[in-house]
Amino acid sequence: MNSVAWPTSRLTGLLHCARLGWAWALANVGSAESCDPHSATGDRADVEESRHGDPDAYRRLVERHQDHVARILWRFSRDRAVHEELVQDVFVEAYLSLHTYREQAPFSHWLARIATRVGYRFWKDRAKQKEAEPFSLAEWDQIAEDGDAIQSLEANQAAELLHRLLDQLPPRDRLVLMLRYLEGCNVEETARRTGWTKTMVKVQALRARDKLKKLVERSGMELT
Amino acid sequence: MNWEDQIRMLATRAQAETPPRVDVAPEVLRVLASGQADPLTVGERLWIWLAAGASAVAIPAMAVAISVYNASAGPLREIMNSISWAI
């Protein structure tokens, strides 16, 4: 790995910061997130060595954190090929923004924010291209009628159903609800993950919740 | 149980899901080493700054020019009309 010449000299500069500006903003946020229990031990040295162009150090970081990032991005895409590509994008983008990481927050938190941004960007890009697909809430209706039905669902069935439900909402609404329900983030944590203000998170969460309520109350109908 | 409790229960079940394992380290290092993910070159950055600077100057200049034209077009036309006999 050491024989590979890394383009480190090209990875600095003001424009680069502008291009990846969100990562900059996110890097400066500093406290722990209860929705991400990942340990940060051993990262500091590897981050420092990666900044100096050591590919082995960055490989160690990727290997240490890829499961955590994969878990986050599995909520954004359940297509395995897309999912893997998104995970790759996160680590490429993280490397390119590594000089903005201030080490005030654990590396895993910093990565979680980049992963959220990459996933959200994927949703937004897809929303622009996506044709409205007919969606049946029949499965939800069954569950809504029988309270115990949820408990009998396999974890992946529950995740798939929730994914399809939230997929009916615009990306912003979906993001805030995904962080709230699936990641268990509170307002402050959601604000950190998204880069939004707390007020914006609260307003967005309220609107998104209303839309989800309308959606599930329309269940039984074919949605387009 | 209301709809939100049901959603929360569904989410709790979904949280137990194990995502597929990935090993992206080789591909990430390959992309970084190949330079495919390089940020913009110095030349490209220069052009972008130049374009941004030109736009920053041109847009206010155009706004000023339009307001000046609007303010002066009427009087100029009147002067032209009043001396049209001489042209």
Side-chain angles (χ1 to χ4, degrees):
Chain A
M1 283 307 299
N2 286 323
S3 61
V4 179
W6 277 39
T8 46
S9 61
R10 301 175 69 186
L11 299 175
T12 54
L14 197 61
L15 251 179
H16 175 61
C17 292
R19 194 172 168 220
L20 299 163
W22 223 51
W24 170 273
L26 295 174
N28 292 308
V29 182
S31 58
E33 290 176 358
S34 65
C35 60
D36 174 21
H38 202 89
S39 164
T41 40
D43 290 338
R44 190 165 293 183
D46 284 337
V47 167
E48 199 49 45
E49 284 168 30
S50 299
R51 281 178 178 149
H52 290 99
D54 180 357
D56 284 334
Y58 198 62
R59 181 176 46 74
R60 285 196 295 275
L61 281 172
V62 174
E63 285 172 351
R64 201 176 298 139
H65 292 282
Q66 61 187 358
D67 288 346
H68 171 226
V69 170
R71 173 171 280 277
I72 293 170
L73 287 165
W74 189 237
R75 309 206 195 287
F76 287 90
S77 174
R78 297 179 65 81
D79 178 317
R80 281 173 183 249
V82 173
H83 173 246
E84 192 164 335
E85 212 168 288
L86 293 176
V87 177
Q88 279 174 26
D89 287 352
V90 169
F91 284 105
V92 170
E93 202 157 315
Y95 180 78
L96 296 175
S97 320
L98 212 53
H99 63 286
T100 68
Y101 173 56
R102 295 296 174 87
E103 297 177 15
Q104 290 164 336
F107 189 67
S108 61
H109 293 183
W110 186 70
L111 273 180
R113 289 166 208 152
I114 295 179
T116 304
R117 173 160 50 104
V118 167
Y120 180 51
R121 194 169 58 206
F122 165 73
W123 276 349
K124 285 203 295 185
D125 290 347
R126 214 192 47 163
K128 281 179 201 160
Q129 302 158 1
K130 196 169 81 168
E131 298 279 320
E133 291 168 12
F135 173 72
S136 169
L137 282 165
E139 207 178 334
W140 169 259
D141 283 340
Q142 275 185 338
I143 284 169
E145 282 166 18
D146 178 9
D148 296 332
I150 295 174
Q151 295 299 341
S152 63
L153 283 177
E154 293 290 327
N156 66 328
Q157 289 174 317
E160 179 67 38
L161 178 58
L162 196 56
H163 185 83
R164 280 191 284 124
L165 258 178
L166 296 180
D167 194 30
Q168 303 307 307
L169 302 174
R172 283 174 82 86
D173 299 320
R174 191 177 176 187
L175 180 65
V176 77
L177 292 180
M178 190 273 282
L179 290 172
R180 177 176 175 164
Y181 293 127
L182 278 164
E183 302 262 334
C185 295
N186 61 24
V187 172
E188 199 174 343
E189 290 157 351
T190 305
R192 278 193 219 117
R193 284 279 288 271
T194 55
W196 302 343
T197 62
K198 285 184 206 168
T199 311
M200 196 172 154
V201 169
K202 285 179 194 167
V203 171
Q204 195 64 47
L206 209 65
R207 284 182 189 159
R209 191 183 165 278
D210 284 349
K211 284 185 193 169
L212 183 62
K213 186 182 176 196
K214 277 181 193 154
L215 176 72
V216 296
E217 284 177 351
R218 283 169 67 195
S219 58
M221 298 164 68
E222 287 291 318
L223 303 173
T224 53
Chain B
M1 201 189 310
N2 71 15
W3 70 271
E4 193 167 27
D5 291 335
Q6 287 171 328
I7 292 283
R8 283 185 194 282
M9 274 181 69
L10 199 61
T12 307
R13 289 291 301 142
Q15 280 168 352
E17 188 190 24
T18 310
R21 286 193 71 83
V22 291
D23 181 16
V24 296
E27 185 59 18
V28 168
L29 294 182
R30 191 195 65 74
V31 169
L32 290 173
S34 69
Q36 287 172 26
D38 275 5
L40 302 175
T41 63
V42 175
E44 288 167 332
R45 289 174 187 187
L46 200 68
W47 279 113
I48 288 176
W49 278 111
L50 205 65
S55 303
V57 172
I59 292 169
M62 196 171 78
V64 169
I66 290 170
S67 62
V68 167
Y69 174 79
N70 285 339
S72 59
L76 276 176
R77 202 170 292 122
E78 279 183 31
I79 292 168
M80 285 291 289
N81 286 340
S82 64
I83 59 168
S84 60
W85 54 268
I87 300 172

